[in-house]
Amino acid sequence: QPTLRVPDIGLGVATSCSLGPICLLRERRIERGDDFRIEQLAGLANKEGRTSDATAMLREALVLNRDVGYREGIAEVLVTMASTLQSVNARAGALTLLAAAARLREEIGGGAGWVGDAIERLRGSLRDSLGGAAFEAAWKEGSLLSTDEAIALALEETREV
């Protein structure tokens, strides 16, 4: 497995280990904010072309949000996972997760502004690349998923990425 150089992200140290951020967070037993920190590190790994590492971190962040019942965090991670899936050409899966995130965000009455912007940007891009019928089918499928079903699908869709 590749080793990540983990910057100091407010934990007081910088370190290296296999999937470093997850190891570090677990070792320090940090409870609140783990999801956000892991998501940030997943973004860095993605930018460096390490999609597999990024996906593993996003899966961890999704589970953390699920376990604490933080629905806004679940929506945020679903959007980030959708973006990651789009980057590896898994467009239908990306759109299904995106629709689930949009439904969840609407259900909870909003959330962070960047999430709404990301949903609209990704939705437009996926509409262009998938075309009408495929777009509508995937969007409908995702919008009908419960939160638990969306989480299960996200974990399934990203298992092999």
Side-chain angles (χ1 to χ4, degrees), residues 133-150:
F135 175 88
E136 293 302 328
W139 187 264
K140 182 177 181 182
E141 178 186 347
S143 66
L144 295 175
L145 294 175
S146 70
T147 301
D148 287 339
E149 290 169 332

Side-chain angles (χ1 to χ4, degrees), residues 1-4 17-19 53 56:
Q1 275 186 339
T3 298
L4 297 175
C17 75
S18 177
L19 288 182
D53 287 344

Side-chain angles (χ1 to χ4, degrees), residues 6-29:
V6 182
D8 183 345
I9 55 171
L11 302 177
V13 297
T15 189
S16 295
C17 75
S18 177
L19 288 182
I22 294 171
C23 298
L24 182 62
L25 291 169
R26 283 189 177 147
E27 286 171 15
R28 298 199 179 260
R29 298 182 188 273

